[in-house]
Amino acid sequence: MTGQTDHALRGDYSRIRADYTVEQDWGAYTREEHELWRRLCARQAALVPRYACEEFRATLATLDYEAGIPRFEAINRRLAAATRWELAAVPGLVPDLVFFEHLANRRFPVTVWLREPGEFDYIVEPDVFHDFFGHVPMLFNPVFADYMQAYGRGGIKAHALGAIEMLARLYWYTVEFGLIDTREGLRAYGAGILSSGGEIRHCVESPEPNRVGFDLLRIMRTRYKIDTFQETYFVIRGFDELFEATAPDFAPHYEALRAEGLLAPSELLPADRVYHRGNAPQRAA
Ligand code: PHE
Ligand code: FE
């Protein structure tokens, strides 16, 4: 995930390079950490067949991730061959512009530390489990991989235009919490969902949240919550749709959107292509 946080950053930033990367220092992971990783993987892998999109499932099955926290180097050889992406070890969240620069150069920042056992079900900041399990399989998909790079380039531009909040909402509702409409039904491709034991079911099965067709401008004005399950999920019909809808220059979009108000996370609009109208009792902003 990316995003702002109002508490002190977790992670050791004392050894960062100019681009915020560090050594993964794989040998420093403890036996307990590898064990916790295995438990996280076992729980999540059991849910993936039912809730994850096939692009994610197909790649996950080929990654040797279950024995313990993976060595990024080993994955990098395969990722380079598949889509020319690479993983870059980082101590945790990095500044927006640094994050965008990495993506624009097909480098995905992966946090090196693992959560504590008490955070098995829930963690506020991205750790290596979220970053790796949630994001890495999708980087093997050629169209999604290109989307991520385009997003990074768009981020550098949005930063110059003072529009990163609008662009961050797109990341949130696609890369982190996106759903895709498939022959099997709605499936998850967003990393925030795929790395969550609770939300992976909730997003597809719960009657509470709205599920609405992908709409670029609508998403860029929809606020989101970072500490609860999402109240609205946006559904793409394919990765080509996502890539093509985001290809045009966003500068005029940012201009137009500045004149419009923001939408609450739970709000539905008459123009929405509704897959499911949420029935959550509390629909307040
Ligand atoms: N087309 C966007 C722009 O001009 C860049 C972008 C591509 C942003 C894909 C997000 C995702 O800013
Ligand atoms: Fe993430």
Side-chain angles (χ1 to χ4, degrees):
M1 283 186 215
T2 175
Q4 303 73 25
T5 168
D6 52 12
H7 54 88
L9 285 177
R10 198 161 151 180
D12 177 6
Y13 288 75
S14 67
R15 274 183 285 252
I16 52 170
R17 305 181 186 103
D19 64 357
Y20 276 75
T21 62
V22 293
E23 284 300 319
Q24 183 188 13
D25 196 9
W26 189 85
Y29 293 120
T30 64
R31 216 154 34 92
E32 288 73 23
E33 286 174 322
H34 287 299
E35 171 58 26
L36 177 59
W37 171 274
R38 283 194 289 274
R39 287 203 294 126
L40 285 162
C41 287
R43 185 229 342 235
Q44 218 56 21
L47 296 164
V48 159
R50 169 79 186 83
Y51 301 107
C53 67
E54 61 183 324
E55 291 80 357
F56 181 90
R57 295 194 312 253
T59 302
L60 186 69
T62 70
L63 296 179
D64 275 331
Y65 66 94
E66 277 167 309
I69 301 169
R71 295 179 193 262
F72 299 167
E73 278 166 22
I75 302 298
N76 277 344
R77 287 193 286 275
R78 310 207 19 219
L79 197 48
T83 56
R84 294 177 293 109
W85 270 76
E86 78 180 281
L87 309 185
V90 290
L93 295 171
V94 300
D96 292 316
L97 196 52
V98 173
F99 183 70
F100 296 143
E101 295 274 6
H102 280 303
L103 297 187
N105 289 289
R106 294 175 95 87
R107 287 189 303 266
F108 190 77
V110 176
T111 303
V112 292
W113 55 265
L114 183 66
R115 67 192 66 188
E116 300 289 326
E119 297 167 307
F120 193 73
D121 288 324
Y122 184 76
I123 185 161
V124 192
E125 279 172 71
D127 71 336
V128 62
F129 182 72
H130 164 79
D131 282 340
F132 189 92
F133 190 98
H135 287 283
V136 172
M138 291 307 301
L139 292 174
F140 280 81
N141 179 267
V143 180
F144 191 82
D146 286 349
Y147 172 68
M148 290 292 279
Q149 178 175 32
Y151 182 90
R153 290 175 173 158
I156 295 168
K157 201 164 100 184
H159 190 265
L161 295 170
I164 59 172
E165 283 186 10
M166 292 182 236
L167 195 66
R169 294 188 197 109
L170 176 64
Y171 192 89
W172 189 263
Y173 283 118
T174 60
V175 179
E176 295 292 356
F177 291 96
L179 295 182
I180 182 166
D181 187 5
T182 77
R183 271 170 283 119
E184 313 165 302
L186 299 187
R187 290 290 180 266
Y189 72 90
I193 302 173
L194 290 162
S195 63
S196 160
E199 193 151 8
I200 193 171
R201 293 174 227 232
H202 175 88
C203 70
V204 170
E205 284 181 350
S206 169
E208 289 178 21
N210 301 315
R211 298 183 188 86
V212 177
F214 174 88
D215 176 334
L216 177 64
L217 288 160
R218 201 267 195 225
I219 287 175
M220 290 204 290
R221 56 191 281 248
T222 306
R223 293 194 288 107
Y224 57 82
K225 295 188 180 166
I226 65 163
D227 55 357
T228 62
F229 289 166
Q230 299 305 302
E231 291 165 294
T232 299
Y233 298 94
F234 291 92
V235 181
I236 60 170
R237 285 167 288 201
F239 295 108
D240 289 328
E241 176 188 18
L242 182 59
F243 187 80
E244 282 158 24
T246 52
D249 181 10
F250 284 11
H253 293 334
Y254 297 145
E255 276 305 308
L257 286 166
R258 280 185 216 285
E260 290 185 59
L262 295 182
L263 301 169
S266 62
E267 210 164 330
L268 277 178
L269 298 181
D272 284 339
R273 189 161 52 82
V274 177
Y275 284 83
H276 174 80
R277 177 178 296 268
N279 72 357
Q282 183 59 54
R283 313 299 297 167

